[in-house]
Amino acid sequence: MALRSHLPCSPPRCFVSPKSPPDSLSPHCSFRAYSRSNFLNKTQSQTTTIKGKALKEKWKEYEEAVKEKNLARALQFLKSIGDDDALAVSDSSMGLVGGVERDWEVLDTCLNAEDMRLVGTAYAFLKGRGFLPNFGRCRNIVMEGPRDITPSVLKSSAGLEVSKLSPKKWGLSGTSNAVLVAFLGGVSFLLSQGIDIRPNLAAILGFAFLDSIFLGGCCLAQISSCWPPYRRRILVHEAGHLLTAYLMGCPIRGVILDPVVAVQMGIQGQAGTQFWDEKLENELAGGRLSSTAFDRYCMVLFAGIAAEALVYGEAEGGENDENLFRSICLLLQPPLTVAQMSNQARWAVLQSYNLLKWHSDAHKSAIKALESGGSLSIVIRSIEDALSLR
């Protein structure tokens, strides 16, 4: 009001006072410049808010794809957005809109993907974006070290005894013998006291037999997994598979820890880590298999046994891993002899053992993430975080 009363008949304009230095501006010019600056700032703020809301709506498509575990749709969305949209946009009233924190979530959609090549594409995309710098960093490690690994070499180089690396079977080794003896002694004691539990025992054994035949031992495995020490060993085993596959550049589809889900997905055993080796698949399809691809596959396959040996000094799981190893050995031309298979298994265990030992912090981080129920993206991020501190 004071400025307008100063020049009642003139519109606001900028002028230089004759008594003022040439560069000094009158209050009218300052008022006008300030108004323009306010207008621009307000316009930019409104534009940012509109853009943020648009990005928020845009990223909802990605959230829905992740929720539905639709890898193809989620990956297509990430490829379609520009670099600016890939950055996280923050607003005090909206919070994080999307971007770098969301890109990781595409890994959580891999589990339902039927096409493993699409899973490989997802890992290649994230690595190209700079999210997976350590993926495949140890791919060429299979070219190092001696090939002939005798039991004495295994013992001298890693302190591992071959007898402690064989998967344990109930009633045949380890503490199972003691448990079996205690069980039979308990049954005899109850019978001597006039308590006949044989009908109940027969029902339990019958149920266990049917479970092993038709469900692959799923029910018994589900009950056993509730025991914390046993479940912890499973986590150690699967984290070994996962970390080795990741360092060797094999895309991981997912880690299954629930025996029921494992049966539904056709996985043998109580748990499993699904990984894919493109080179191995292409070579098998072409009727040939190079030693490099075979070695990498064996390292990932025996990494679970190596992980248990690293943490506990011996392995109890891995029976299905050995079965898979034998099955692929039969595909080789000519097939490996028993002695050659044993040597290859010892070599793979030693290689995986050393690899996990060198990256023990990453292995521990993976175990912790799996134990807390983290998704695949969280586990992979924990591995990357641990490796970045080396």
Side-chain angles (χ1 to χ4, degrees):
M1 296 299 292
L3 291 175
R4 182 169 298 177
S5 62
H6 182 66
L7 291 174
C9 298
S10 303
R13 55 191 176 91
C14 179
F15 66 92
V16 179
S17 172
K19 296 182 180 180
S20 302
D23 294 335
S24 64
L25 299 180
S26 72
H28 298 285
C29 185
S30 299
F31 170 77
R32 188 173 181 179
Y34 175 77
S35 299
R36 184 183 296 111
S37 175
N38 260 2
F39 174 77
L40 292 176
N41 290 338
K42 186 175 181 180
T43 302
Q44 291 175 356
S45 177
Q46 291 175 344
T47 303
T48 301
T49 302
I50 294 174
K51 183 179 180 180
K53 290 181 178 180
L55 282 175
K56 188 175 182 180
E57 292 296 327
K58 191 175 182 181
W59 278 93
K60 282 184 178 180
E61 302 176 15
Y62 179 69
E63 292 176 354
E64 292 175 358
V66 171
K67 185 176 181 180
E68 297 171 2
K69 295 192 180 302
N70 189 328
L71 175 58
R73 183 180 167 193
L75 193 58
Q76 183 180 10
F77 173 84
L78 290 178
K79 289 182 176 180
S80 67
I81 63 175
D83 293 338
D84 293 338
D85 291 346
L87 298 176
V89 179
S90 179
D91 182 84
S92 59
S93 61
M94 293 188 302
L96 187 67
V97 174
V100 292
E101 296 294 328
R102 302 279 179 91
D103 285 27
W104 286 92
E105 295 177 0
V106 73
L107 295 176
D108 298 333
T109 67
C110 292
L111 187 60
N112 288 0
E114 297 181 358
D115 186 359
M116 292 301 293
R117 293 185 182 276
L118 191 60
V119 176
T121 302
Y123 278 81
F125 172 80
L126 290 180
K127 187 173 179 62
R129 281 277 179 91
F131 291 100
L132 309 177
N134 293 291
F135 178 65
R137 64 179 292 183
C138 300
R139 179 182 292 271
N140 296 324
I141 197 173
V142 295
M143 300 174 63
E144 303 174 358
R147 298 294 313 186
D148 189 15
I149 306 298
T150 62
S152 59
V153 171
L154 190 64
K155 174 67 175 177
S156 61
S157 60
L160 299 176
E161 296 182 5
V162 175
S163 60
K164 292 187 177 182
L165 300 178
S166 301
K168 303 299 184 292
K169 297 177 177 58
W170 173 258
L172 298 179
S173 59
T175 59
S176 298
N177 287 324
V179 174
L180 182 60
V181 170
F183 173 75
L184 294 177
V187 172
S188 299
F189 174 77
L190 292 175
L191 290 175
S192 64
Q193 298 297 319
I195 303 175
D196 190 1
I197 62 170
R198 285 176 294 184
N200 295 332
L201 182 60
I204 294 174
L205 292 177
F207 171 77
F209 176 76
L210 294 176
D211 175 43
S212 62
I213 295 297
F214 296 102
L215 299 177
C218 171
C219 294
L220 183 60
Q222 186 72 42
I223 297 173
S224 301
S225 63
C226 296
W227 189 39
Y230 183 78
R231 178 171 178 79
R232 173 77 177 182
R233 185 177 282 270
I234 293 176
L235 296 178
V236 169
H237 187 102
E238 297 307 326
H241 283 306
L242 188 151
L243 178 59
T244 304
Y246 186 78
L247 292 174
M248 299 300 292
C250 298
I252 299 105
R253 184 187 180 194
V255 180
I256 310 300
L257 299 174
D258 189 333
V260 176
V261 178
V263 170
Q264 292 174 346
M265 298 190 67
I267 298 175
Q268 295 182 355
Q270 304 160 8
T273 299
Q274 295 185 319
F275 66 96
W276 179 64
D277 191 327
E278 181 178 9
K279 185 176 181 181
L280 178 71
E281 182 175 302
N282 292 338
E283 291 182 358
L284 287 176
R288 59 185 179 84
L289 182 61
S290 65
S291 59
T292 302
F294 181 58
D295 287 342
R296 183 167 56 247
Y297 177 80
C298 291
M299 283 184 63
V300 179
L301 202 57
F302 284 101
I305 293 176
E308 288 191 54
L310 179 63
V311 176
Y312 298 104
E314 63 177 353
E316 292 186 358
E319 182 178 358
N320 292 302
D321 300 332
E322 287 190 347
N323 293 336
L324 287 174
F325 170 69
R326 295 190 187 97
S327 65
I328 198 170
C329 285
L330 297 177
L331 299 176
L332 302 178
Q333 294 296 332
L336 296 183
T337 64
V338 175
Q340 289 174 329
M341 283 193 292
S342 298
N343 182 75
Q344 178 69 20
R346 289 191 295 267
W347 177 88
V349 169
L350 180 59
Q351 289 285 319
S352 298
Y353 180 88
N354 289 331
L355 186 67
L356 293 172
K357 187 176 181 179
W358 296 336
H359 302 89
S360 58
D361 290 340
H363 184 227
K364 293 176 182 177
S365 296
I367 295 172
K368 185 176 180 180
L370 289 172
E371 192 172 23
S372 63
S375 61
L376 180 61
S377 64
I378 294 176
V379 178
I380 297 297
R381 289 191 69 172
S382 69
I383 290 175
E384 282 292 345
D385 292 340
L387 293 175
S388 66
L389 299 176
R390 290 175 61 88

